[in-house]
Amino acid sequence: MTAALRKPLIRPIVALLAALPLALGVAYAEDAKPHANAELKYQAGGSPLANEEMHQNINPKAPPMTKAEFDAGKQIYFQRCAGCHGVLRKGATGKALTPDITLGKGTDYLKVFINYGSPAGMPNWGTSGDLTDKEVDMMARYIQQEPPVPPEFSLKDMEATWKEIIPVAKRPTKKMNKYNIANIFSTTLRDAGEVALIDGDTKKIINIVKTGYAVHISRTSASGRYLYVIGRDARVNLIDLWMEKPDSVAEMKVGLEARSIETSKFKGYEDKYAIAGDYWPPQFVIMEGDTLKPLKVVSTRGMTVDNEYHPEPRVASIVGSHYRPEFVVNAKETGKIMLVDYKDIKNLKITTLDAAKFLHDGGLDSTGRYFLVAANASNKIAVVDTKEGKMTAMIDVGKTPHPGRGANFIHPKFGPVWATSHLGDETISMIGTDPIKHKAQAWKVVSTVKGQGGGSLFIKTHPKSKNLWIDTPLNPDAKMSQSIAVYDINAFDKGFVVLPIAEWANLGDGAKRIVQPEYNKAGDEVWFSVWSAKDKQSAIVVVDDKTRKLKAVIKDPKLITPTGKFNINNTQHDIY
């Protein structure tokens, strides 16, 4: 059929697609509600792999592309699509886009999906203005080519990037500063590729440390001396908090893209090991805790819980067990949870548990024994008994749970619970966590309440607080993304109160999304990031937890795109 004959068919195809099941979109949005856009924004973030050299393997059956077009398509794919569809296009949260599927659809058919999107959740990249007509055509041809494969990253590659900036022998033997280290906040300056160490007592910046791009998390060693941060570009920095001015003492790249890092917490192994998990290559690495020297690399490639092979199971989150010398490693795409015994690094013992796809983030219950992790696209929470080393439960919750670490508190009716909010809807699910005194409620959703909207990334409380805070930074409604909802945990029936955090920050124009409530050590202050664009002013807002009134606003030109904040004491002791 000629191009002239095909062109009139485009509009009928568009109408037809609205009634068809989603063939090439994302798996998690079953309707066109506004919160679906929040999920897309979160899942489709840019990947550092966009700038990596990759082999161009063009399928001879695919429509022609120049090398320049192929490279441009690769840039767009890794900036906008890989987060949902996977590095190798095998499918992740979104459907597979491999040539065996896309070649049969054809360029015009694919252009419709890319241009107009789908009611089931595929973004309208063309009509939204994100992609030009020329780019839409290019991407329709690009996804019919064989996926380019990024390079692997071996232990030898890691060793080539390893820098012990200050050797252990030359570091302080005692604390050399007067800072209240337990109340320091490690604050991600996302687009600057830095973390700000902020004194929680004085609200002053102690130091700005150069790190990898978009630090995903900060973790504190069991002793409280060392701080580990990992960027999306897989660069790990080890910061010594005992130094006169805390700064990096070692760094290393553990891969090409990453999200997670943790340290050994079991008694007798404090500060001995660190572990980092990669998005690419799909693997994790165990390192010396005080030097970052790489010791062992383990691939996560393998079978899913559905018994299908997956070539790129990303390591989404890791926690250190307090009950065994083990790391709990979560492989996103396979839905497998690995209990990694680090007693003998050379002869590593790994116990694998089946959970559900797609594992993401989670945290420990109040006793530190049970680990609860979100299988976000499956709308479930998996529970692992870290003392017994086995699965405890699989629990259905709301749409696309994203708990961060979650929130532990005593419910007035149901006893100890752990709560999660959701990206995909406005609910907060509370799960009973006491199998001894509250056996009937254990490992069930005992209560569900509605927050102000979907698009939540973090939920937070503190053992000394009566408040439960829920952010909604990815909600498309600015009133919701720029505010925070707070419940009295002893009176959920009274509903939530909304606090205008962005308004309190008193900034100029900008997105001003409110993200990640974090408590100070005493549990009487809650810190919020007011996250605007790189070229706009951002801030940290501190609220009095008891009165819910504004206490302080931290502003500084160096606070560029602040997002996650990690209090040293709370991170060290898993208080959340």
Side-chain angles (χ1 to χ4, degrees):
M1 185 183 289
T2 66
L5 289 173
R6 283 197 302 264
K7 192 172 182 181
L9 295 176
I10 296 292
R11 286 196 177 95
I13 290 173
V14 173
L16 178 63
L17 290 177
L20 288 175
L22 181 60
L24 289 169
V26 289
Y28 46 75
E30 297 173 352
D31 49 44
K33 292 182 180 179
H35 58 244
N37 292 329
E39 298 174 49
L40 292 168
K41 290 178 184 177
Y42 175 73
Q43 298 288 353
S47 164
L49 291 174
N51 299 315
E52 288 295 326
E53 187 69 30
M54 298 185 193
H55 176 59
Q56 182 186 4
N57 182 16
I58 297 178
N59 190 319
K61 296 180 181 179
M65 294 190 82
T66 65
K67 187 178 186 304
E69 285 180 319
F70 189 90
D71 289 344
K74 184 196 77 172
Q75 284 278 334
I76 291 173
Y77 182 81
F78 283 103
Q79 288 170 355
R80 300 181 184 276
C81 314
C84 288
H85 298 287
V87 170
L88 302 179
R89 306 209 308 263
K90 291 284 190 179
T93 311
K95 296 291 187 180
L97 295 176
T98 45
D100 60 310
I101 298 170
T102 55
L103 280 171
K105 300 299 181 182
T107 301
D108 284 341
Y109 187 92
L110 296 170
K111 283 169 65 175
V112 170
F113 270 105
I114 297 169
N115 196 41
Y116 293 95
S118 159
M122 180 74 176
N124 56 326
W125 294 114
T127 58
S128 67
D130 288 294
L131 298 180
T132 66
D133 289 345
K134 184 178 178 180
E135 288 172 330
V136 168
D137 176 76
M138 181 177 67
M139 293 309 296
R141 288 180 288 128
Y142 175 82
I143 61 174
Q144 294 177 73
Q145 317 293 325
E146 292 295 328
V149 181
E152 299 294 323
F153 209 84
S154 67
L155 188 138
K156 186 176 180 180
D157 294 324
M158 295 176 197
E159 289 174 336
T161 70
W162 175 46
K163 298 177 184 176
E164 194 174 7
I165 301 166
I166 301 178
V168 174
K170 294 184 178 180
R171 295 177 199 168
T173 56
K174 62 180 180 180
K175 182 172 174 283
M176 300 299 291
N177 59 61
K178 295 182 179 180
Y179 298 117
N180 178 8
I181 289 177
N183 202 34
I184 289 175
F185 288 76
S186 176
T187 304
T188 296
L189 305 182
R190 187 184 186 279
D191 294 337
E194 299 170 333
V195 294
L197 303 179
I198 303 177
D199 188 327
D201 295 344
T202 66
K203 314 296 189 290
K204 301 294 184 182
I205 296 175
I206 296 169
N207 195 17
I208 302 287
V209 181
K210 293 298 296 183
T211 62
Y213 169 71
V215 163
H216 196 66
I217 56 172
S218 299
R219 289 288 176 259
T220 310
S221 69
S223 70
R225 172 177 181 170
Y226 290 114
L227 178 69
Y228 302 80
V229 300
I230 189 165
R232 288 179 65 139
D233 57 0
R235 176 177 162 185
V236 176
N237 284 77
L238 175 63
I239 298 170
D240 188 350
L241 299 173
W242 278 11
M243 294 170 63
E244 186 174 348
K245 187 177 184 179
D247 209 337
S248 288
V249 292
E251 67 177 54
M252 183 178 67
K253 277 182 69 68
V254 295
L256 300 178
E257 185 172 2
R259 295 294 188 279
S260 53
I261 193 162
E262 182 61 294
T263 69
S264 52
K265 295 180 177 178
F266 187 66
K267 187 175 181 180
Y269 291 87
E270 296 91 337
D271 298 16
K272 185 169 184 178
Y273 297 120
I275 181 173
D278 284 333
Y279 265 30
W280 188 270
Q283 61 192 29
F284 60 85
V285 57
I286 299 176
M287 304 161 278
E288 288 182 350
D290 56 357
T291 69
L292 299 184
K293 179 182 177 181
L295 302 172
K296 189 84 168 183
V297 181
V298 179
S299 173
T300 57
R301 292 180 171 102
M303 307 303 287
T304 69
V305 291
D306 300 329
N307 294 312
E308 295 182 356
Y309 178 75
H310 203 290
E312 51 168 311
R314 298 174 286 182
V315 178
S317 58
I318 306 172
V319 296
S321 171
H322 296 274
Y323 286 83
R324 290 182 171 193
E326 289 181 342
F327 294 118
V328 183
V329 178
N330 300 278
K332 193 177 183 77
E333 281 72 23
T334 58
K336 303 267 187 174
I337 299 174
M338 290 161 280
L339 307 181
V340 181
D341 187 329
Y342 51 73
K343 290 195 302 291
D344 184 353
I345 296 296
K346 187 175 181 180
N347 302 292
L348 208 60
K349 179 183 176 182
I350 300 176
T351 301
T352 303
L353 309 176
D354 280 3
K357 299 183 297 187
F358 295 78
L359 296 172
H360 194 63
D361 57 347
L364 297 166
D365 78 313
S366 59
T367 69
R369 173 173 174 173
Y370 296 96
F371 174 62
L372 297 95
V373 59
N376 55 16
S378 298
N379 305 324
K380 296 179 183 292
I381 297 293
V383 184
V384 176
D385 183 342
T386 65
K387 182 178 180 180
E388 297 295 331
K390 62 183 182 181
M391 289 291 299
T392 296
M394 291 293 301
I395 305 164
D396 292 321
V397 291
K399 190 169 179 58
T400 321
H402 192 285
R405 290 289 207 167
N408 290 301
F409 56 92
I410 305 298
H411 191 282
K413 182 177 179 180
F414 303 111
V417 298
W418 178 93
T420 181
S421 53
H422 300 83
L423 266 168
D425 65 34
E426 68 275 22
T427 64
I428 295 97
S429 299
M430 305 176 206
I431 296 169
T433 59
D434 181 6
I436 299 175
K437 295 182 179 180
H438 297 81
K439 188 175 181 179
Q441 288 79 38
W443 318 127
K444 299 175 183 177
V445 175
V446 296
S447 180
T448 300
V449 297
K450 289 188 176 181
Q452 63 171 334
S456 176
L457 290 179
F458 297 100
I459 184 170
K460 187 72 68 172
T461 189
H462 189 277
K464 296 181 180 179
S465 174
K466 66 173 186 176
N467 291 320
L468 179 66
W469 307 85
I470 304 99
D471 69 10
T472 45
L474 297 186
N475 195 288
D477 186 333
K479 289 183 179 179
M480 294 186 192
S481 65
Q482 296 183 5
S483 62
I484 196 80
V486 56
Y487 277 95
D488 182 338
I489 60 177
N490 293 314
F492 280 106
D493 58 315
K494 293 183 179 179
F496 58 85
V497 173
V498 176
L499 301 184
I501 304 298
E503 180 182 319
W504 288 352
N506 193 27
L507 302 173
D509 61 342
K512 298 188 287 281
R513 289 170 288 186
I514 308 307
V515 64
Q516 207 224 16
E518 176 75 347
Y519 276 86
N520 64 343
K521 179 180 182 294
D524 57 13
E525 292 178 355
V526 193
W527 291 38
F528 300 92
S529 295
V530 185
W531 172 24
S532 276
K534 188 175 182 178
D535 60 347
K536 303 293 183 181
Q537 188 178 24
S538 293
I540 304 293
V541 168
V542 182
V543 174
D544 185 299
D545 182 68
K546 186 170 291 186
T547 65
R548 300 179 180 174
K549 302 294 184 183
L550 176 64
K551 188 169 184 178
V553 178
I554 305 172
K555 295 181 181 178
D556 192 292
K558 297 176 183 177
L559 288 179
I560 299 169
T561 57
T563 51
K565 302 164 301 303
F566 302 88
N567 177 268
I568 296 300
N569 177 78
N570 296 342
T571 305
Q572 177 186 359
H573 298 290
D574 291 305
I575 297 172
Y576 36 79

